[in-house]
């Protein structure tokens, strides 16, 4: 799934390129902000219990919210992930990458991943906030 990039990715001269994320993104247009989305389905039911499964569903949820504004994954400019277990995350990097490419494609906005003690939904292993920008025509 290759999509055009409607935004400019910022890579300072001489910096080692970021892998799997962008250091910065320049965007202009209509902005979309999601709340912290988790990996339950549209009926708020938990199908997946592991972090990778919840991650895949969380990304699908983000894409569904973006679609309500006529946006797609290519419009993402920032993702902030909150995870409950750094070891589980680091131990499954290939699986996270595969799930990301399956749902989002090869579009890598600015991202941050933060380990937290707990999330508000007890069953949640991951929560993600997204920001997207639809360029004005």
């Amino acid at each position: 799934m290759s999509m055009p990039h409607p935004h400019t990715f910022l890579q300072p001269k001489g910096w080692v390129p970021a892998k799997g994320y962008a250091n910065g993104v320049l965007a202009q247009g209509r902005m979309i902000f999601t709340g912290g989305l988790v990996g339950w389905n549209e009926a708020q039911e938990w199908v997946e219990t592991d972090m990778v499964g919840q991650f895949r569903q969380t990304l699908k949820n983000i894409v569904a919210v973006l679609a309500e504004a006529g946006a797609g994954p290519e419009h993402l400019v920032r993702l902030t992930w909150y995870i409950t277990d750094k070891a589980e995350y680091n131990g499954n990097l290939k699986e996270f990458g595969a799930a990301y490419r399956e749902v989002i494609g090869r579009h890598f906005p600015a991202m941050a991943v933060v380990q937290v003690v707990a999330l508000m939904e007890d069953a949640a292993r991951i929560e993600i906030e997204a920001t997207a920008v639809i360029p004005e025509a």
Side-chain angles (χ1 to χ4, degrees):
M1 176 189 326
S2 180
M3 298 173 251
H5 297 292
H7 310 299
T8 302
F9 291 87
L10 306 174
Q11 177 63 34
K13 190 174 184 170
W15 282 29
V16 174
K19 292 187 174 144
Y21 66 95
N23 287 306
V25 181
L26 175 63
Q28 184 172 348
R30 294 182 310 137
M31 300 178 73
I32 302 164
F33 303 92
T34 73
L37 300 177
V38 294
W40 55 25
N41 65 19
E42 64 279 357
Q44 295 184 354
E45 299 166 336
W46 296 99
V47 177
E48 303 289 343
T49 58
D50 67 298
M51 192 183 295
V52 173
Q54 288 189 14
F55 173 65
R56 181 179 288 106
Q57 182 61 51
T58 301
L59 293 178
K60 289 178 182 179
N61 295 345
I62 289 168
V63 170
V65 171
L66 294 180
E68 288 297 307
E74 70 275 16
H75 296 109
L76 287 167
V77 296
R78 181 166 183 77
L79 294 172
T80 303
W81 311 16
Y82 303 94
I83 62 172
T84 58
D85 188 336
K86 181 179 171 183
E88 183 178 1
Y89 171 77
N90 283 328
N92 292 284
L93 292 177
K94 282 187 178 182
E95 293 82 357
F96 274 98
Y100 185 92
R101 289 186 302 277
E102 172 192 323
V103 180
I104 302 297
R106 294 197 171 274
H107 175 74
F108 303 103
M111 292 189 223
V113 180
V114 180
Q115 179 177 297
V116 295
V117 173
L119 297 166
M120 293 307 293
E121 294 298 327
D122 290 336
R125 313 277 304 135
I126 186 167
E127 185 170 327
I128 301 176
E129 294 175 326
T131 304
V133 178
I134 303 172
E136 295 184 14

